[in-house]
Amino acid sequence: MSEICPKCGLPKELCMCEEIAREQQSVRISIDSRRYGKTVTVIDGIDGNDIDIADLAKTLKSRCAAGGTCKDGRIELQGDHKKKVKLVLEEMGFRTEVR
């Protein structure tokens, strides 16, 4: 038997909870400047209850070929990756806003 989603009650194969959560969230992408002139791309506005932020950070880090971390509900990538992150998140179904 297949597993049942605790949120919607449908089997995992038919579950649309994560896709609906992606469409409802507005993700903000911005650039922050750190010590010694280093730039960091900050992805904010993701609800950690509906979406696995650690898994999303792993995907973004591999697609952008950059290091990074997720802390305090935000994802931080080393370097300026606004355009690439915007494309990747829109492919995944998120609504994005670049600042």
Side-chain angles (χ1 to χ4, degrees):
M1 290 191 99
S2 65
E3 294 181 33
I4 303 284
C5 175
K7 293 180 185 176
C8 64
L10 293 173
K12 290 283 187 180
E13 295 86 33
L14 300 175
C15 179
M16 300 292 283
C17 294
E18 193 166 315
E19 292 177 27
I20 292 170
R22 288 179 183 170
E23 293 172 359
Q24 293 176 346
Q25 295 181 19
S26 179
V27 179
R28 293 176 300 280
I29 304 168
S30 61
I31 298 294
D32 193 12
S33 186
R34 299 289 166 95
R35 282 197 271 180
Y36 310 115
K38 303 287 184 182
T39 57
V40 177
T41 305
V42 180
I43 300 100
D44 196 15
I46 301 170
D47 185 15
N49 296 330
D50 297 329
I51 295 169
D52 186 12
I53 294 178
D55 187 44
L56 180 60
K58 183 178 178 181
T59 303
L60 288 173
K61 289 190 302 184
S62 67
R63 294 282 298 269
C64 294
T69 186
C70 59
K71 53 181 162 179
D72 300 330
R74 319 182 316 173
I75 299 172
E76 298 178 358
L77 297 175
Q78 297 171 355
D80 186 356
H81 300 284
K82 279 196 293 193
K83 293 178 185 176
K84 183 73 173 180
V85 168
K86 181 176 174 56
L87 289 174
V88 171
L89 288 176
E90 287 178 351
E91 283 176 8
M92 296 175 85
F94 287 99
R95 289 185 301 144
T96 60
E97 174 186 328
V98 178
R99 291 185 177 182

